[in-house]
Structures are given as structure tokens and as C-alpha cells.
Amino acid sequence: MLTRIDHIGIACRNLDETVEFYRSTYGFEVHHTEVNEEQGVREAMLKINGTSDGAASYLQLLEPIREDSPVGKWLAKNGEGVHHIAFGTADVDADAAAIRDKGVRVLYDEPRTGSMGSRITFLHPKDCHGVLTELVTSATEH
Ligand code: V0V
Ligand code: CO
């Protein structure tokens, strides 16, 4: 069951400048940063609020580390902006399987490693009315 908006993924060209914008404009502080080589991103998680399922909602700021990565390709075509939304679930395997059974393309056979030790997969934007959609089980849930 999808129980929260885990994060909104925002593509940016310069992570440090974008972090500073969110800090100075809204007062959001960096909760966590990491490089995800497999996904081709350097990212910062800004925690917005805790959620009723015991997890939290974040903004995920994403700077590509390679031009041919998903975020690099998307930035070249669209410029900076909202790249994906992520729904949180205690069981990404079960939810991904159920959604695949409805005819939506799930991009990975098995969930991969996401931010802060989470397990993630993606649904194809063309099957989701133009929205790249991620499913996340946080490290605290698995
Ligand atoms: C591409 N398209 C999108 C899109 N990216 N539509 C909405 N939102 C996006 N973000 C559209 C694009 O405009 C094309 O439509 C069509 O899909 C094919 O796009 P493409 O440019 O040819 O790119 P592809 O097909 O090579 O790759 C698209 C996919 C790729 C979605 C398959 O981006 C992917 O594998 N994404 C999942 C991984 C990812 O995004 N990782 C970065 C975040 P037209 O022009 O043909 O109509 S990592 C992350 O979130 C982490 C680590 C975390 O949360 O923990
Ligand atoms: Co994400």
C-alpha cells in the first residue's frame, strides 16, 4: 500500500546553488547527501515533514554526474524542474508486482538501491500520464 509522498525529485544543474536557494528562500536544511553511481546522480535530501506511516517526506535535489544518465538526458531536453514523484510503501516488491499486473511498465525486475539505503523502482512515465513515478521502501521499513 502506498502511504505517503516519499519525495519529489527535482533536476538541477548545480546542487550546491540549488541547496542554497532552498535554504535561504524557505529555510529547508540538508538532511542527507550522497552520490548514487548506478543512477548517475549527486543528490541532497531536504526533509519536509514526518508522515503518519512513521517515515518522512523529502525534496530530492538531483545533479547529474554523467550527461548520459536519466537526469542528465532530461536536463538537456527540458532544463531544470520537477523530474519525478516518489510514493512510499512498506513493501515495494508487492506494490511493484501489483502495479505491473495492471499493465504499467515497471522499469526494474528487482528494486535497486536508492537514497539513504532505500529500495526503489520506477514506473514508465508514458504509462503514468507523463509522470515518472518512483516507488520507495525506506531503510527503516525493510
Ligand atoms: C523521460 N520522459 C519523461 C521523463 N524522462 N517524462 C516525464 N518525466 C520524466 N522524468 C519521456 C521523454 O520525454 C520521452 O517522451 C520518453 O519519456 C522517452 O524518454 P527519453 O528521453 O528517450 O529517455 P529514455 O527512454 O532513455 O529514459 C526514460 C526513462 C529513464 C524514464 C526510462 O529516465 C529512467 O530509467 N528513469 C528511471 C531512473 C531515474 O530517473 N533515475 C534518476 C533519479 P517523448 O519525447 O518520446 O514523448 S535517481 C533517484 O530518484 C534516487 C536515487 C532515489 O530516489 O533514491
Ligand atoms: Co527519487
Side-chain angles (χ1 to χ4, degrees):
M1 190 179 34
L2 308 178
T3 55
R4 66 181 178 277
I5 293 176
D6 187 277
H7 62 268
I8 299 170
I10 297 171
C12 63
R13 292 208 170 83
N14 184 309
L15 187 64
D16 297 336
E17 282 180 18
T18 309
V19 161
E20 178 53 22
F21 170 80
Y22 279 89
R23 194 197 61 73
S24 61
T25 309
Y26 308 114
F28 296 142
E29 300 288 346
V30 173
H31 178 78
H32 175 85
T33 60
E34 70 181 73
V35 172
N36 187 317
E37 286 287 344
E38 182 177 40
Q39 295 291 341
V41 292
R42 192 162 80 89
E43 54 153 274
M45 296 295 268
L46 313 183
K47 189 171 176 177
I48 307 301
N49 59 276
T51 52
S52 58
D53 56 7
S57 292
Y58 302 89
L59 293 182
Q60 181 176 62
L61 306 180
L62 301 158
E63 178 192 274
I65 58 172
R66 297 188 292 273
E67 285 183 9
D68 65 347
S69 62
V71 174
K73 284 178 64 178
W74 192 85
L75 265 176
K77 192 168 160 186
N78 303 285
E80 296 184 310
V82 175
H83 179 257
H84 65 273
I85 62 168
F87 297 123
T89 166
D91 190 345
V92 63
D93 300 271
D95 282 306
I99 290 170
R100 182 180 274 129
D101 283 349
K102 296 178 203 275
V104 173
R105 278 170 289 172
V106 177
L107 296 184
Y108 306 148
D109 289 337
E110 293 289 331
R112 297 184 184 172
T113 301
S115 191
M116 301 183 286
S118 60
R119 298 178 71 237
I120 64 172
T121 195
F122 290 88
L123 313 179
H124 200 288
K126 292 293 174 191
D127 295 348
C128 301
H129 295 267
V131 178
L132 176 60
T133 304
E134 179 182 343
L135 308 180
V136 186
T137 295
S138 69
T140 54
E141 293 172 302
H142 71 79

